[in-house]
Amino acid sequence: MGGLWFTEKQTENFGITMKVNNTLHTEQTEFQKLDMVETEEWGNMLLLDGMVMTSVRDEFVYHEMVAHVPLFTHPNPENVLVVGGGDGGVIREVLKHPEVKKATLVDIDGKVIEYSKKYLPEIAGKLDDPRVEVRVDDGFMHIANSNGEYDVILVDSTEPVGPAVNLFTKGFYAGIAKALKDDGLFVAQSDNPWFKADLIRNVQRDVREIFPITRLYLANIPTYPSGLWAFTIGSKKHDPLAVTDDSFHEIETKYYTKEIHKAAFILPKFVADLVK
């Protein structure tokens, strides 16, 4: 294999590898190792601590599924918080909903925001929208200091290492419940069922103890470990499986549809067994 190849070691015995045409930027930030690379297969790609965060070619799957499932579940999502997500992809999708009056992005690492704007403009291009407030701050503490403020909270975190460890704790989910309005709901990325079954079990258990409606849904994201990615939704009132055709309005998407909205909750048996 000629040229430069990057491998993300996803477990001790398995990884994903891709050809890199060019390293655009590399930096040890205050919180993590940040690399922007240009890949042959996936276009420009953001890596944090050696893990793939997003790529131009397949980013739409993750960002659409984090945003649209909860925003079409909630009947009037006026005030939305995104924790993490400094690349701006979730914010871009959130702004497709005309009901949203304000979207707040809180990411602990301002360098992710800075270099996403520079090297991932098709993802980060809506961060300067007038409906968006960008805060470089600790998302855990922002949640802890919020009370009954948000309709929807979207947790777009890295894997549970480094600065994201606290975003996978029961205390964080309890803080989310306090930060949400009485009919609020949240979604958090929950890694993958092939390699992180225990994480999914633990998240489902913790969220279920706090939110009366707790569900898991899936999407196919080829650059993420195993390609099968999980999301946890916790809701005080609104059930994502109870939405009707009247709940949807037309938006431009590449992956999400109203049919996918419900189909994503149909789990393979080995995944369904994790959430029993």
Side-chain angles (χ1 to χ4, degrees):
M1 296 188 296
L4 177 65
W5 288 72
F6 164 74
T7 297
E8 178 187 343
K9 195 174 181 183
Q10 298 178 346
T11 74
E12 286 300 310
N13 305 301
F14 176 81
I16 181 174
T17 189
M18 63 204 76
K19 188 175 182 180
V20 174
N21 294 333
N22 189 23
T23 298
L24 303 170
H25 183 80
T26 184
E27 178 176 338
Q28 180 67 46
T29 77
E30 183 182 351
F31 301 99
Q32 55 208 338
K33 177 76 182 316
L34 183 155
D35 295 285
M36 284 283 186
V37 296
E38 177 195 325
T39 71
E40 183 73 26
E41 190 71 35
W42 304 102
N44 285 4
M45 176 179 285
L46 169 64
L47 311 172
L48 294 177
D49 288 333
M51 297 179 289
V52 176
M53 292 295 110
T54 194
S55 81
V56 168
R57 184 176 172 192
D58 73 342
E59 55 86 12
F60 62 90
V61 183
Y62 177 87
H63 294 135
E64 289 180 13
M65 292 301 283
V66 168
H68 301 317
V69 172
L71 290 177
F72 277 119
T73 298
H74 196 289
N76 191 31
E78 293 184 349
N79 195 7
V80 178
L81 171 67
V82 179
V83 177
D87 58 65
V90 174
I91 285 288
R92 182 196 64 202
E93 297 303 315
V94 166
L95 295 180
K96 293 179 180 179
H97 293 259
E99 306 95 333
V100 175
K101 294 181 178 179
K102 182 179 180 181
T104 303
L105 174 76
V106 180
D107 194 302
I108 198 169
D109 196 338
K111 294 292 186 178
V112 174
I113 300 168
E114 177 184 347
Y115 290 109
S116 294
K117 286 182 175 181
K118 184 173 182 179
Y119 295 112
L120 303 170
E122 53 276 271
I123 302 176
K126 294 293 186 180
L127 287 175
D128 295 324
D129 188 281
R131 284 188 286 167
V132 178
E133 178 184 357
V134 177
R135 298 186 182 185
V136 178
D137 203 354
D138 185 331
F140 185 92
M141 293 308 300
H142 181 86
I143 290 285
N145 294 327
S146 301
N147 189 24
E149 186 172 346
Y150 297 105
D151 298 299
V152 176
I153 294 175
L154 309 175
V155 184
D156 178 11
S157 66
T158 62
E159 294 186 57
V161 295
V165 167
N166 287 337
L167 305 186
F168 289 82
T169 61
K170 187 175 180 182
F172 182 57
Y173 305 134
I176 286 176
K178 181 178 71 71
L180 287 167
K181 296 178 184 178
D182 290 341
D183 66 342
L185 55 88
F186 89 102
V187 163
Q189 72 89 2
S190 302
D191 220 294
N192 78 92
W194 286 104
F195 306 141
K196 297 293 181 66
D198 286 344
L199 181 147
I200 290 175
R201 284 193 196 96
N202 292 339
V203 169
Q204 284 283 306
R205 179 199 64 222
D206 290 346
V207 175
R208 195 177 291 125
E209 290 180 7
I210 298 167
F211 288 86
I213 300 169
T214 302
R215 300 193 184 280
L216 190 79
Y217 63 96
L218 301 174
N220 170 246
I221 306 170
T223 57
Y224 284 6
S226 85
L228 185 67
W229 210 248
F231 306 85
T232 296
I233 186 167
S235 177
K236 296 183 178 183
K237 180 178 179 181
H238 306 293
D239 190 339
L241 294 182
V243 297
T244 64
D245 284 350
D246 293 338
S247 304
F248 298 97
H249 54 78
E250 287 297 321
I251 58 173
E252 182 180 345
T253 61
K254 295 180 181 179
Y255 188 93
Y256 177 90
T257 64
K258 65 180 181 180
E259 291 81 15
I260 285 285
H261 179 104
K262 291 189 176 181
F265 291 90
I266 300 174
L267 305 176
K269 187 175 185 300
F270 83 101
V271 183
D273 287 344
L274 300 178
V275 302
K276 285 182 179 177

